[in-house]
Amino acid sequence: MLNQIPIQEISTLSIWIPLILAGLRWKTADRKLRLFFVFLLFGAVVDGLGWASYANQEFFLLNRAASFGQFLYLWFEALFFIWLAYEFYQTKRSQFWRKVLWVGISLVFVIDALNRYGMEEPNRIFSSFVYSGLLVLSSFLMAFALLRMAEQKEEIMKEPWFWILSGIFFYSFSCFFIDMLTFTEFAEGLWRIRVVFNMIQYVFFVVGLVKMSNRQ
């Protein structure tokens, strides 16, 4: 039954719901929300490129652009998640550790870029390991940010950013276990489950953005 549903098309369109909600608050938004909007917009563009590439596989330049766009998006996503999580830690050394992680993640992506685009036969296992590692890192960062928020707020579920951080945590944590099955006999069709998790993440985003609007 799942195979009969145009999941990729639905996912490509569903990101526009939180994107529009975030965009409507641009003028009154703080830095966190504006960067969150940029993050969603970047994802929407990459999703669109990916869908167009899949539908027109004979166009080499389009496929290349979709691949490179996805790579840049993952890099931006990692840096943004680190920045966002540390916005909620509020410790004396937050800025230091944020910069350390930024430098470390950027070096990993430079190595992966050389592997993907500089080698005649890229090491796919290395690239897969990099992305799985980012999922683990994102899960831990968001989990600690949520714990920090719980220490500071009495009714945490009323906080808009609780839902947004929870959405990122849910997707990262769930997809890590999906990736663990990539090289098993269950690998076929796993991308559909990942896309479903992605759409559930958008539901969390919408709830947070609606609560943000109601609070305003």
Side-chain angles (χ1 to χ4, degrees):
M1 181 178 180
L2 191 62
N3 293 331
Q4 299 175 356
I5 302 175
I7 289 180
Q8 187 62 56
E9 289 81 354
I10 295 174
S11 176
T12 301
L13 294 174
S14 61
I15 192 175
W16 286 91
I17 300 174
L19 176 61
I20 292 172
L21 290 175
L24 291 174
R25 293 181 50 80
W26 178 267
K27 289 185 178 180
T28 58
D30 59 8
R31 184 168 55 174
K32 289 198 302 291
L33 185 57
R34 289 189 176 185
L35 284 175
F36 182 65
F37 171 80
V38 173
F39 161 70
L40 292 174
L41 181 60
F42 200 165
V45 172
V46 170
D47 270 359
L49 276 175
W51 183 86
S53 174
Y54 178 78
N56 301 276
Q57 297 184 19
E58 67 276 10
F59 293 104
F60 174 78
L61 290 179
L62 181 59
N63 296 335
R64 197 68 171 175
S67 173
F68 191 63
Q70 178 68 24
F71 177 80
L72 290 179
Y73 171 72
L74 292 176
W75 194 343
F76 175 79
E77 178 185 70
L79 298 181
F80 172 66
F81 284 176
I82 293 169
W83 178 87
L84 181 62
Y86 273 93
E87 282 292 292
F88 295 92
Y89 293 166
Q90 297 179 353
T91 62
K92 292 181 178 180
R93 298 185 65 82
S94 291
Q95 293 291 335
F96 171 77
W97 288 112
R98 176 191 286 169
K99 292 177 181 178
V100 168
L101 285 175
W102 272 353
V103 171
I105 290 297
S106 295
L107 288 175
V108 170
F109 268 93
V110 168
I111 295 171
D112 192 33
L114 294 174
N115 172 56
R116 290 181 184 229
Y117 304 108
M119 305 288 289
E120 293 184 4
E121 296 184 4
N123 189 330
R124 297 182 181 274
I125 296 179
F126 176 79
S127 295
S128 178
F129 176 78
V130 168
Y131 186 63
S132 296
L134 291 176
L135 291 174
V136 174
L137 177 63
S138 298
S139 299
F140 275 106
L141 287 173
M142 296 307 153
F144 282 117
L146 288 167
L147 287 173
R148 186 69 174 173
M149 187 183 297
E151 293 173 354
Q152 298 174 340
K153 307 291 183 180
E154 294 183 358
E155 299 182 9
I156 188 173
M157 295 189 69
K158 291 185 178 181
E159 295 297 320
W161 283 102
F162 164 79
W163 293 94
I164 294 174
L165 296 180
S166 295
I168 298 172
F169 171 79
F170 168 80
Y171 176 78
S172 301
F173 188 75
S174 302
C175 287
F176 169 72
F177 288 100
I178 292 295
D179 282 357
M180 295 292 287
L181 301 173
T182 300
F183 301 102
T184 69
E185 59 184 8
F186 303 104
E188 185 177 356
L190 286 179
W191 70 271
R192 286 182 173 271
I193 301 177
R194 177 190 286 275
V195 173
V196 171
F197 286 155
N198 194 38
M199 289 189 288
I200 295 174
Q201 176 184 224
Y202 296 153
V203 173
F204 278 89
F205 290 170
V206 169
V207 173
L209 290 167
V210 169
K211 286 183 174 292
M212 204 175 290
S213 298
N214 291 340
R215 174 174 291 188
Q216 186 73 15

